[in-house]
DNA sequence: CTGTTAGCGCGTTCAA
DNA sequence: TTGAACGCGCTAACAG
């Protein structure tokens, strides 16, 4: 690899001149600039971003830690982050915590060692609280993505999970449902907690009895499926709501095993959901996360933060859209009480 | 940020000793090592990967350029690459070319400027041939992922697209189909070309007439849909095969618009396909790409290449699995000729 | 077993 | 308008 020295020699200038034409950081005689450019072309010189970063103490790169690169919603977020990053002249360094506190910590360490200019964290469910405290100490510019912890002094971007869930459930109550099963999953995850919160809100407003709201929580898929299956078998429940894509898959599978189909026998809705839902049966009513936009928003917040490090933290909540489909349409069965 | 100098001073040793306990690169008295470790902890020192990389001319990072971060198959590849990367102590720098030659070139430039130790490329369809030539010149360790160009002197990993398509079509011919529509899409993409090749192979072996193999190629979605729609309306075709997820979506949508349903009226199969296919109707027969494994394989090849730069290039083809489902099962209509 | 020191390739002051 | 020279933080060769 050619370095500046070779370019300088070839162009018969000093390396400082080369640097300046490269960065446009001071005026240089058109004539000499031309010579330099020619020398660059002929040597195949390429600026060493490492040395440059070391010297400027700025890498023009950001780190992104996602908790599950597998889920489509996260993949879209990554996509959005990458897109907005290049738009802002930033390179993206990606790490995956696989929902594991230890890997998450290591990932953050690695990224910090690489001197990324900023960090975007979609935190793991069992994330070590100490991690965030440590970050508060060192205060590298950090954005929390998707999973919002409201009392934290960080910039954050998420979706209005609680409100959207409230709307979803309210609508279903209005159309006659009274006995719900909410497949909530791991409620240590703030996102899922918010969704559960929205369900509770709507239940209160709709004056649902406690026995009419079955909330299924937990980490173990088998256990979740079994609990759902059992309660389905009572025949009371008229609507199932899943709080994430994996929970939806699990729920649909459980429904199928129990010989229950939607929308004929039961109503069904989910958050996040599946791609191309309108091509397939059952057409599932889905709360779509603006995942791409969330990723992009995180980058924008980060860029802002880099510009004004002392500004007070902001939380951005993006709106979600409810895509109503047949799985919640065909409600005919009325609960016994009516 | 604390530097080695501060750690050294605090531990009353030289910076070289600090470096050596950090990297375990030479023996050091347990006593002094302890002092150093203590100093590191108390200063909150963190090794600067930039300076280290500059000095060693090795970044322990790899660059990945994907052509469409949106498609699930690519998302899975990214996932696989990331996973295998950390396993090998490598950090992943991600870029997206969005199927655009220009962005792809810029991405490669950026990555090279960052002095990544190696490159993994899932190339864009309209990728500039000059790009690869340039790479051959500079020869940074490079792996071509998913889209294989057989005559190129690079390590490559792909799937056995041709063979799998041949099997798929042969099986369908055997079960009685004779009039196919292949939605092939942009056949400049090697992957899609291979799949088309497999279709032709099977047609030959199955003695299909030329009028019995409708191959729909092109870039414009509208045009593809229209051509498929038109040929569907002739009522001759008994099987549609889509060569990628977006093409499958487009095909299913076209079928729906034409009032044709699978498997009742027509057989349907696709490559790549949709997540959780077994939960939804129609249950689509799908050739599943081992995307995660392909990503991981690319990293392994890269690590090998870094170890032995002069070894001759290898091409790895991973096997694909055909997931047979109902969309190809229910074949009753026989072509008029039988 | 430990310390001194010369760069890695750049950006940036200071002087001319 | 240009050049000389220092140092970012680190590794590794050399010396002791």
């Amino acid at each position: 690899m050619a370095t500046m020295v070779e370019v300088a020699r070839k162009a018969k200038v000093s390396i400082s001149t080369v640097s300046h034409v490269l960065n446009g950081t001071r005026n240089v005689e058109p004539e000499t600039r031309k010579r330099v450019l020619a020398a660059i072309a002929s040597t195949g010189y390429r600026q060493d971003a490492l040395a440059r970063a070391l010297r400027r103490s700025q890498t023009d790169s950001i780190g992104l830690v996602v908790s599950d690169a597998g889920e489509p919603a996260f993949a879209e977020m990554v996509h959005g982050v990458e897109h907005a990053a290049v738009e802002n002249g930033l390179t993206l360094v990606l790490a995956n915590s696989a929902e594991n506190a230890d890997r998450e910590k290591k990932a953050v360490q690695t990224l910090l060692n690489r001197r990324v200019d900023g960090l975007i964290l979609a935190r793991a469910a069992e994330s070590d609280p100490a991690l965030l405290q440590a970050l508060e100490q060192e205060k590298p510019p950090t954005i929390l993505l998707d999973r919002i912890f409201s009392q934290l002094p960080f910039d954050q971007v998420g979706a209005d999970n609680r409100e959207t869930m409230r709307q979803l459930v309210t609508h279903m109550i209005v159309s006659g449902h009274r006995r719900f099963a909410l497949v909530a999953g791991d409620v240590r995850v703030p996102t899922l907690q918010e969704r559960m919160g929205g369900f509770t809100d709507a239940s209160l407003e709709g004056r649902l009895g406690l026995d009419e709201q079955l909330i299924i929580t937990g980490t173990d898929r088998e256990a979740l499926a079994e609990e759902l299956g059992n309660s389905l078998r009572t025949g009371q429940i008229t609507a199932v709501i899943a709080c994430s894509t994996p929970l939806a898959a699990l729920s649909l599978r459980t429904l199928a095993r129990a010989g229950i189909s939607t929308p004929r026998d039961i109503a069904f809705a989910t958050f996040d959901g599946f791609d191309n839902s309108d091509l397939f049966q059952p057409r599932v009513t889905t709360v779509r996360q603006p995942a791409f936009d969330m990723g992009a928003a995180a980058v924008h917040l980060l860029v802002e933060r880099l510009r004004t490090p002392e500004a007070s933290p902001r939380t951005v909540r993006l709106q979600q859209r409810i895509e109503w489909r047949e799985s919640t349409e065909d409600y005919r069965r009325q609960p016994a009480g009516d």
Side-chain angles (χ1 to χ4, degrees), chain A:
Chain A
M1 273 281 49
T3 81
M4 272 184 147
V5 194
E6 305 174 42
V7 174
R9 198 173 29 202
K10 203 150 194 168
K12 301 195 188 306
V13 294
S14 75
I15 65 166
S16 112
T17 301
V18 178
S19 168
H20 282 121
V21 338
L22 236 39
N23 302 313
T25 173
R26 86 177 172 196
N27 271 348
V28 30
E29 195 80 354
E31 168 61 27
T32 49
R33 130 177 268 105
K34 194 169 290 179
R35 284 216 313 282
V36 171
L37 260 20
I40 289 180
S42 81
T43 49
Y45 166 79
R46 111 173 331 139
Q47 201 178 33
D48 187 327
L50 247 44
R52 184 176 146 91
L54 179 60
R55 185 54 237 255
R56 301 198 315 151
S57 4
Q58 185 186 318
T59 55
D60 294 331
S61 69
I62 61 175
L64 170 62
V65 184
V66 293
S67 51
D68 188 349
E71 262 187 79
F74 279 110
E76 262 309 295
M77 278 184 215
V78 174
H79 192 183
V81 168
E82 196 278 343
H83 188 85
V86 309
E87 258 187 354
N88 287 275
L90 299 168
T91 320
L92 175 62
V93 186
L94 179 67
N96 181 6
S97 66
E99 295 286 5
N100 175 98
D102 211 51
R103 289 196 52 175
E104 181 180 57
K105 193 167 179 178
K106 287 209 181 94
V108 170
Q109 303 285 7
T110 308
L111 293 174
L112 256 23
N113 287 354
R114 301 227 167 228
R115 298 299 188 264
V116 292
D117 294 341
L119 227 41
I120 300 178
L121 257 47
R123 292 181 62 207
E126 38 176 88
S127 177
D128 188 354
L131 173 64
L132 285 189
Q133 287 173 16
L135 286 178
E136 281 188 60
Q137 297 293 322
E138 292 193 46
K139 32 176 114 270
T142 301
I143 315 287
L144 265 30
L145 176 56
D146 182 47
R147 300 179 175 178
I148 288 189
F149 296 72
S150 46
Q151 64 298 34
L152 260 31
F154 289 100
D155 292 307
Q156 312 197 49
V157 18
D160 54 348
N161 292 296
R162 185 162 190 150
E163 171 58 16
T164 313
M165 176 64 98
R166 199 187 60 74
Q167 285 175 23
L168 175 70
V169 177
T170 298
H171 182 105
M172 293 176 77
I173 291 179
V174 166
S175 40
H177 291 280
R178 291 212 67 85
R179 290 191 175 261
F180 289 83
L182 182 79
V183 188
D186 186 350
V187 290
R188 290 172 307 174
V189 178
T191 316
L192 298 181
Q193 199 165 76
E194 290 165 14
R195 291 171 188 175
M196 186 171 72
F199 177 77
T200 312
D201 293 351
S203 300
L204 271 172
E205 294 170 17
R207 311 206 175 285
L208 252 46
L210 279 183
D211 55 325
E212 297 175 318
Q213 339 165 7
L214 175 66
I215 300 184
I216 305 177
T217 65
T219 309
D220 180 35
R221 331 267 278 210
E222 295 302 319
L224 289 169
E226 194 178 327
E227 190 174 347
L228 178 62
N230 287 341
S231 48
L232 247 27
R233 243 165 268 125
T234 68
Q236 305 272 0
I237 291 163
T238 69
V240 175
I241 300 177
C243 287
S244 74
T245 301
L247 295 174
L250 174 160
S251 303
L252 286 174
R253 200 158 283 128
T254 305
L255 288 180
R257 288 221 182 98
I260 298 173
S261 92
T262 172
R264 201 194 54 203
D265 308 320
I266 209 164
F268 183 78
T270 183
F271 272 64
D272 297 355
F274 308 89
D275 289 341
N276 298 94
S277 270
D278 44 344
L279 293 178
F280 297 97
Q281 303 279 357
R283 298 208 162 78
V284 177
T285 289
T286 300
V287 177
R288 190 64 66 180
Q289 211 157 164
F292 184 96
D293 293 338
M294 285 169 62
V299 174
H300 296 145
L301 277 187
L302 185 48
V303 171
E304 271 309 304
R305 168 73 40 209
L306 291 172
R307 233 195 298 275
T308 61
E310 296 307 334
S312 49
R314 295 190 288 175
T315 294
V316 173
R317 287 207 181 252
L318 270 56
Q319 243 188 336
Q320 295 175 303
R321 235 184 37 251
I322 306 183
E323 301 172 352
W324 294 103
R325 295 207 185 80
E326 298 164 11
S327 72
T328 49
E329 239 168 46
D330 223 22
Y331 184 61
R332 302 196 195 94
R333 283 172 52 189
Q334 296 294 319
D338 277 27

